[in-house]
PDB file of all heavy atoms in Angstrom:
ATOM      1  N   LEU A  20      20.237  10.373  15.286  1.00 93.00           N
ATOM      2  CA  LEU A  20      21.309  11.015  14.499  1.00 93.00           C
ATOM      3  C   LEU A  20      21.834  12.185  15.286  1.00 93.00           C
ATOM      4  O   LEU A  20      22.931  12.672  15.061  1.00 93.00           O
ATOM      5  CB  LEU A  20      20.711  11.481  13.227  1.00 93.00           C
ATOM      6  CG  LEU A  20      20.407  10.410  12.285  1.00 93.00           C
ATOM      7  CD1 LEU A  20      19.619  10.960  11.043  1.00 93.00           C
ATOM      8  CD2 LEU A  20      21.627   9.687  11.749  1.00 93.00           C
ATOM      9  N   GLY A  21      21.048  12.756  16.208  1.00 86.00           N
ATOM     10  CA  GLY A  21      21.480  13.857  16.947  1.00 86.00           C
ATOM     11  C   GLY A  21      20.373  14.524  17.666  1.00 86.00           C
ATOM     12  O   GLY A  21      19.236  14.064  17.376  1.00 86.00           O
ATOM     13  N   LYS A  22      20.663  15.481  18.572  1.00 79.00           N
ATOM     14  CA  LYS A  22      19.529  16.094  19.223  1.00 79.00           C
ATOM     15  C   LYS A  22      19.718  17.640  19.053  1.00 79.00           C
ATOM     16  O   LYS A  22      20.764  18.148  19.140  1.00 79.00           O
ATOM     17  CB  LYS A  22      19.326  15.717  20.622  1.00 79.00           C
ATOM     18  CG  LYS A  22      20.537  15.890  21.532  1.00 79.00           C
ATOM     19  CD  LYS A  22      20.305  15.298  22.903  1.00 79.00           C
ATOM     20  CE  LYS A  22      21.442  15.468  23.867  1.00 79.00           C
ATOM     21  NZ  LYS A  22      22.760  15.505  23.230  1.00 79.00           N
ATOM     22  N   PHE A  25      14.919  21.450  19.858  1.00 80.00           N
ATOM     23  CA  PHE A  25      13.478  21.193  20.106  1.00 80.00           C
ATOM     24  C   PHE A  25      13.221  19.797  20.086  1.00 80.00           C
ATOM     25  O   PHE A  25      12.049  19.327  20.086  1.00 80.00           O
ATOM     26  CB  PHE A  25      12.740  21.953  18.960  1.00 80.00           C
ATOM     27  CG  PHE A  25      12.778  23.409  19.068  1.00 80.00           C
ATOM     28  CD1 PHE A  25      13.879  24.178  18.759  1.00 80.00           C
ATOM     29  CD2 PHE A  25      11.666  24.067  19.648  1.00 80.00           C
ATOM     30  CE1 PHE A  25      13.945  25.608  18.953  1.00 80.00           C
ATOM     31  CE2 PHE A  25      11.694  25.492  19.823  1.00 80.00           C
ATOM     32  CZ  PHE A  25      12.828  26.239  19.437  1.00 80.00           C
ATOM     33  N   VAL A  28      16.606  13.797  16.322  1.00 94.00           N
ATOM     34  CA  VAL A  28      16.458  13.304  14.928  1.00 94.00           C
ATOM     35  C   VAL A  28      16.820  11.868  14.844  1.00 94.00           C
ATOM     36  O   VAL A  28      17.888  11.447  15.465  1.00 94.00           O
ATOM     37  CB  VAL A  28      17.390  14.144  13.990  1.00 94.00           C
ATOM     38  CG1 VAL A  28      17.056  13.749  12.554  1.00 94.00           C
ATOM     39  CG2 VAL A  28      17.187  15.582  14.248  1.00 94.00           C
ATOM     40  N   ALA A  41      15.401  10.850   7.496  1.00 97.00           N
ATOM     41  CA  ALA A  41      15.655  11.329   8.735  1.00 97.00           C
ATOM     42  C   ALA A  41      14.369  11.954   9.468  1.00 97.00           C
ATOM     43  O   ALA A  41      13.621  12.666   8.684  1.00 97.00           O
ATOM     44  CB  ALA A  41      16.753  12.500   8.868  1.00 97.00           C
ATOM     45  N   LYS A  43      12.737  14.193  12.179  1.00 95.00           N
ATOM     46  CA  LYS A  43      12.939  15.192  13.241  1.00 95.00           C
ATOM     47  C   LYS A  43      11.764  15.282  14.107  1.00 95.00           C
ATOM     48  O   LYS A  43      10.633  15.492  13.560  1.00 95.00           O
ATOM     49  CB  LYS A  43      13.355  16.582  12.679  1.00 95.00           C
ATOM     50  CG  LYS A  43      13.405  17.686  13.749  1.00 95.00           C
ATOM     51  CD  LYS A  43      14.685  18.396  13.867  1.00 95.00           C
ATOM     52  CE  LYS A  43      14.680  19.202  15.071  1.00 95.00           C
ATOM     53  NZ  LYS A  43      16.000  20.036  15.201  1.00 95.00           N
ATOM     54  N   LEU A  45       9.721  17.199  17.024  1.00 94.00           N
ATOM     55  CA  LEU A  45       9.593  18.542  17.760  1.00 94.00           C
ATOM     56  C   LEU A  45       8.490  18.466  18.693  1.00 94.00           C
ATOM     57  O   LEU A  45       7.301  18.046  18.389  1.00 94.00           O
ATOM     58  CB  LEU A  45       9.273  19.551  16.670  1.00 94.00           C
ATOM     59  CG  LEU A  45      10.308  19.793  15.577  1.00 94.00           C
ATOM     60  CD1 LEU A  45       9.714  20.567  14.467  1.00 94.00           C
ATOM     61  CD2 LEU A  45      11.525  20.421  16.101  1.00 94.00           C
ATOM     62  N   VAL A  55       7.348  29.496  18.312  1.00 89.00           N
ATOM     63  CA  VAL A  55       7.942  29.331  17.022  1.00 89.00           C
ATOM     64  C   VAL A  55       6.946  28.536  16.073  1.00 89.00           C
ATOM     65  O   VAL A  55       7.338  28.085  15.025  1.00 89.00           O
ATOM     66  CB  VAL A  55       9.263  28.656  17.032  1.00 89.00           C
ATOM     67  CG1 VAL A  55      10.334  29.566  17.576  1.00 89.00           C
ATOM     68  CG2 VAL A  55       9.175  27.277  17.619  1.00 89.00           C
ATOM     69  N   GLN A  58       6.854  29.961  12.625  1.00 88.00           N
ATOM     70  CA  GLN A  58       8.139  29.632  11.877  1.00 88.00           C
ATOM     71  C   GLN A  58       8.125  28.189  11.353  1.00 88.00           C
ATOM     72  O   GLN A  58       8.470  27.967  10.221  1.00 88.00           O
ATOM     73  CB  GLN A  58       9.399  29.855  12.823  1.00 88.00           C
ATOM     74  CG  GLN A  58       9.774  31.223  12.862  1.00 88.00           C
ATOM     75  CD  GLN A  58      10.930  31.438  13.957  1.00 88.00           C
ATOM     76  OE1 GLN A  58      10.685  32.048  14.913  1.00 88.00           O
ATOM     77  NE2 GLN A  58      12.064  30.845  13.627  1.00 88.00           N
ATOM     78  N   ILE A  59       7.630  27.301  12.165  1.00 91.00           N
ATOM     79  CA  ILE A  59       7.627  25.804  11.769  1.00 91.00           C
ATOM     80  C   ILE A  59       6.697  25.777  10.562  1.00 91.00           C
ATOM     81  O   ILE A  59       7.028  25.111   9.551  1.00 91.00           O
ATOM     82  CB  ILE A  59       7.143  24.977  12.911  1.00 91.00           C
ATOM     83  CG1 ILE A  59       8.045  25.116  14.089  1.00 91.00           C
ATOM     84  CG2 ILE A  59       7.048  23.469  12.342  1.00 91.00           C
ATOM     85  CD1 ILE A  59       8.922  24.001  14.441  1.00 91.00           C
ATOM     86  N   GLU A  62       8.382  27.178   7.547  1.00 90.00           N
ATOM     87  CA  GLU A  62       9.439  26.250   7.160  1.00 90.00           C
ATOM     88  C   GLU A  62       8.857  25.138   6.399  1.00 90.00           C
ATOM     89  O   GLU A  62       9.328  24.883   5.248  1.00 90.00           O
ATOM     90  CB  GLU A  62      10.126  25.715   8.390  1.00 90.00           C
ATOM     91  CG  GLU A  62      11.084  24.568   7.920  1.00 90.00           C
ATOM     92  CD  GLU A  62      11.849  23.946   9.062  1.00 90.00           C
ATOM     93  OE1 GLU A  62      11.512  24.280  10.224  1.00 90.00           O
ATOM     94  OE2 GLU A  62      12.755  23.195   8.863  1.00 90.00           O
ATOM     95  N   GLN A  66       9.813  24.723   2.619  1.00 92.00           N
ATOM     96  CA  GLN A  66      10.837  23.728   2.248  1.00 92.00           C
ATOM     97  C   GLN A  66      10.177  22.482   1.457  1.00 92.00           C
ATOM     98  O   GLN A  66      10.833  21.833   0.739  1.00 92.00           O
ATOM     99  CB  GLN A  66      11.469  23.079   3.525  1.00 92.00           C
ATOM    100  CG  GLN A  66      12.818  22.521   3.206  1.00 92.00           C
ATOM    101  CD  GLN A  66      13.560  22.207   4.526  1.00 92.00           C
ATOM    102  OE1 GLN A  66      13.233  22.600   5.589  1.00 92.00           O
ATOM    103  NE2 GLN A  66      14.658  21.488   4.407  1.00 92.00           N
ATOM    104  N   LEU A  75      18.328  20.350   1.522  1.00 96.00           N
ATOM    105  CA  LEU A  75      17.753  19.190   2.078  1.00 96.00           C
ATOM    106  C   LEU A  75      16.307  19.104   1.886  1.00 96.00           C
ATOM    107  O   LEU A  75      15.612  20.081   2.131  1.00 96.00           O
ATOM    108  CB  LEU A  75      18.125  19.197   3.674  1.00 96.00           C
ATOM    109  CG  LEU A  75      18.029  17.762   4.316  1.00 96.00           C
ATOM    110  CD1 LEU A  75      19.158  16.965   4.005  1.00 96.00           C
ATOM    111  CD2 LEU A  75      17.797  17.992   5.793  1.00 96.00           C
ATOM    112  N   LEU A  89       8.978  15.961  11.277  1.00 95.00           N
ATOM    113  CA  LEU A  89       9.350  16.469  10.019  1.00 95.00           C
ATOM    114  C   LEU A  89      10.156  15.235   9.272  1.00 95.00           C
ATOM    115  O   LEU A  89      11.114  14.688   9.771  1.00 95.00           O
ATOM    116  CB  LEU A  89      10.422  17.540  10.025  1.00 95.00           C
ATOM    117  CG  LEU A  89       9.951  18.793  10.877  1.00 95.00           C
ATOM    118  CD1 LEU A  89      11.054  19.886  10.778  1.00 95.00           C
ATOM    119  CD2 LEU A  89       8.723  19.328  10.213  1.00 95.00           C
ATOM    120  N   LEU A  91      12.545  14.229   6.695  1.00 96.00           N
ATOM    121  CA  LEU A  91      13.539  14.885   5.975  1.00 96.00           C
ATOM    122  C   LEU A  91      14.453  13.933   5.205  1.00 96.00           C
ATOM    123  O   LEU A  91      14.580  12.705   5.549  1.00 96.00           O
ATOM    124  CB  LEU A  91      14.395  15.617   7.025  1.00 96.00           C
ATOM    125  CG  LEU A  91      13.831  16.674   7.836  1.00 96.00           C
ATOM    126  CD1 LEU A  91      14.627  16.948   9.060  1.00 96.00           C
ATOM    127  CD2 LEU A  91      13.713  17.927   6.948  1.00 96.00           C
ATOM    128  N   GLU A  92      15.104  14.415   4.121  1.00 97.00           N
ATOM    129  CA  GLU A  92      16.127  13.577   3.401  1.00 97.00           C
ATOM    130  C   GLU A  92      17.207  13.267   4.400  1.00 97.00           C
ATOM    131  O   GLU A  92      17.646  14.135   5.291  1.00 97.00           O
ATOM    132  CB  GLU A  92      16.588  14.502   2.279  1.00 97.00           C
ATOM    133  CG  GLU A  92      17.793  13.916   1.594  1.00 97.00           C
ATOM    134  CD  GLU A  92      18.384  14.973   0.603  1.00 97.00           C
ATOM    135  OE1 GLU A  92      17.799  16.192   0.523  1.00 97.00           O
ATOM    136  OE2 GLU A  92      19.401  14.663  -0.106  1.00 97.00           O
ATOM    137  N   PHE A  93      17.619  12.035   4.288  1.00 97.00           N
ATOM    138  CA  PHE A  93      18.809  11.597   5.226  1.00 97.00           C
ATOM    139  C   PHE A  93      20.103  12.109   4.655  1.00 97.00           C
ATOM    140  O   PHE A  93      20.389  11.770   3.487  1.00 97.00           O
ATOM    141  CB  PHE A  93      18.790  10.056   5.376  1.00 97.00           C
ATOM    142  CG  PHE A  93      19.972   9.525   6.036  1.00 97.00           C
ATOM    143  CD1 PHE A  93      20.310   9.997   7.328  1.00 97.00           C
ATOM    144  CD2 PHE A  93      20.732   8.692   5.358  1.00 97.00           C
ATOM    145  CE1 PHE A  93      21.436   9.498   8.037  1.00 97.00           C
ATOM    146  CE2 PHE A  93      21.956   8.163   6.077  1.00 97.00           C
ATOM    147  CZ  PHE A  93      22.307   8.659   7.311  1.00 97.00           C
ATOM    148  N   ALA A  94      20.856  12.788   5.327  1.00 97.00           N
ATOM    149  CA  ALA A  94      22.183  13.287   4.896  1.00 97.00           C
ATOM    150  C   ALA A  94      23.211  12.372   5.403  1.00 97.00           C
ATOM    151  O   ALA A  94      23.555  12.287   6.592  1.00 97.00           O
ATOM    152  CB  ALA A  94      22.478  14.723   5.456  1.00 97.00           C
ATOM    153  N   GLY A  97      26.255  13.404   7.551  1.00 94.00           N
ATOM    154  CA  GLY A  97      25.981  14.126   8.787  1.00 94.00           C
ATOM    155  C   GLY A  97      26.292  15.579   8.793  1.00 94.00           C
ATOM    156  O   GLY A  97      26.233  16.245   7.741  1.00 94.00           O
ATOM    157  N   GLU A  98      26.566  16.136   9.859  1.00 93.00           N
ATOM    158  CA  GLU A  98      26.634  17.624  10.028  1.00 93.00           C
ATOM    159  C   GLU A  98      28.035  18.141   9.653  1.00 93.00           C
ATOM    160  O   GLU A  98      29.122  17.625  10.111  1.00 93.00           O
ATOM    161  CB  GLU A  98      26.423  17.928  11.579  1.00 93.00           C
ATOM    162  CG  GLU A  98      25.049  17.550  11.963  1.00 93.00           C
ATOM    163  CD  GLU A  98      24.820  17.703  13.453  1.00 93.00           C
ATOM    164  OE1 GLU A  98      25.269  16.745  14.156  1.00 93.00           O
ATOM    165  OE2 GLU A  98      24.214  18.638  13.859  1.00 93.00           O
ATOM    166  N   LEU A 144      24.517  20.287   6.118  1.00 96.00           N
ATOM    167  CA  LEU A 144      24.734  18.806   6.314  1.00 96.00           C
ATOM    168  C   LEU A 144      25.476  18.312   5.009  1.00 96.00           C
ATOM    169  O   LEU A 144      25.587  19.112   4.087  1.00 96.00           O
ATOM    170  CB  LEU A 144      23.457  18.139   6.352  1.00 96.00           C
ATOM    171  CG  LEU A 144      22.594  18.332   7.641  1.00 96.00           C
ATOM    172  CD1 LEU A 144      21.109  18.105   7.466  1.00 96.00           C
ATOM    173  CD2 LEU A 144      23.195  17.667   8.810  1.00 96.00           C
ATOM    174  N   GLY A 154      20.181  22.851   5.306  1.00 89.00           N
ATOM    175  CA  GLY A 154      18.955  22.275   6.109  1.00 89.00           C
ATOM    176  C   GLY A 154      18.413  23.392   6.970  1.00 89.00           C
ATOM    177  O   GLY A 154      18.825  24.493   6.886  1.00 89.00           O
ATOM    178  N   ASP A 155      17.384  23.026   7.752  1.00 78.00           N
ATOM    179  CA  ASP A 155      16.837  23.849   8.761  1.00 78.00           C
ATOM    180  C   ASP A 155      16.421  25.228   8.228  1.00 78.00           C
ATOM    181  O   ASP A 155      17.112  26.237   8.394  1.00 78.00           O
ATOM    182  CB  ASP A 155      17.895  24.075   9.910  1.00 78.00           C
ATOM    183  CG  ASP A 155      17.176  24.594  11.211  1.00 78.00           C
ATOM    184  OD1 ASP A 155      16.025  25.113  11.015  1.00 78.00           O
ATOM    185  OD2 ASP A 155      17.663  24.405  12.165  1.00 78.00           O
ATOM    186  N   GLY A 157      14.311  26.935   9.427  1.00 72.00           N
ATOM    187  CA  GLY A 157      13.402  27.457  10.533  1.00 72.00           C
ATOM    188  C   GLY A 157      13.428  29.033  10.490  1.00 72.00           C
ATOM    189  O   GLY A 157      12.444  29.563  11.100  1.00 72.00           O
TER     190      GLY A 157
HETATM  191  O1  AK4 B 301      20.082  15.635  13.054  1.00 57.88           O
HETATM  192  C1  AK4 B 301      21.310  15.665  13.227  1.00 57.88           C
HETATM  193  O2  AK4 B 301      21.759  15.830  14.340  1.00 57.88           O
HETATM  194  C2  AK4 B 301      22.169  15.439  12.079  1.00 57.88           C
HETATM  195  N1  AK4 B 301      21.672  14.686  10.965  1.00 57.88           N
HETATM  196  N2  AK4 B 301      22.496  13.669  10.476  1.00 57.88           N
HETATM  197  C3  AK4 B 301      21.999  13.193   9.299  1.00 57.88           C
HETATM  198  C4  AK4 B 301      20.852  13.918   8.992  1.00 57.88           C
HETATM  199  N3  AK4 B 301      20.036  13.935   7.910  1.00 57.88           N
HETATM  200  C5  AK4 B 301      18.977  14.848   7.884  1.00 57.88           C
HETATM  201  N4  AK4 B 301      18.695  15.660   8.916  1.00 57.88           N
HETATM  202  C6  AK4 B 301      19.493  15.717  10.006  1.00 57.88           C
HETATM  203  N5  AK4 B 301      19.184  16.574  11.019  1.00 57.88           N
HETATM  204  C7  AK4 B 301      18.096  17.391  10.867  1.00 57.88           C
HETATM  205  C8  AK4 B 301      18.377  18.675  10.149  1.00 57.88           C
HETATM  206  C9  AK4 B 301      17.206  19.583  10.000  1.00 57.88           C
HETATM  207  C10 AK4 B 301      16.524  19.972   8.852  1.00 57.88           C
HETATM  208  N6  AK4 B 301      15.517  20.732   8.990  1.00 57.88           N
HETATM  209  C11 AK4 B 301      15.274  21.108  10.254  1.00 57.88           C
HETATM  210  N7  AK4 B 301      14.287  21.964  10.647  1.00 57.88           N
HETATM  211  C12 AK4 B 301      14.100  22.388  11.945  1.00 57.88           C
HETATM  212  O3  AK4 B 301      14.788  21.979  12.833  1.00 57.88           O
HETATM  213  N8  AK4 B 301      13.129  23.241  12.089  1.00 57.88           N
HETATM  214  C13 AK4 B 301      12.786  23.906  13.281  1.00 57.88           C
HETATM  215  C14 AK4 B 301      12.931  23.318  14.532  1.00 57.88           C
HETATM  216  C15 AK4 B 301      12.529  24.018  15.585  1.00 57.88           C
HETATM  217  C16 AK4 B 301      12.093  25.360  15.466  1.00 57.88           C
HETATM  218  C17 AK4 B 301      12.028  25.914  14.212  1.00 57.88           C
HETATM  219 CL1  AK4 B 301      11.548  27.532  14.111  1.00 57.88          CL
HETATM  220  C18 AK4 B 301      12.326  25.236  13.095  1.00 57.88           C
HETATM  221  S1  AK4 B 301      16.470  20.368  11.308  1.00 57.88           S
HETATM  222  C19 AK4 B 301      20.734  14.882  10.089  1.00 57.88           C
END
Side-chain angles (χ1 to χ4, degrees):
L20 289 170
K22 55 188 181 329
F25 292 78
V28 187
K43 169 122 189 180
L45 300 165
V55 291
Q58 276 173 249
I59 304 250
E62 169 180 10
Q66 207 170 346
L75 196 76
L89 303 180
L91 294 159
E92 173 187 358
F93 170 59
E98 295 170 283
L144 293 160
D155 199 341

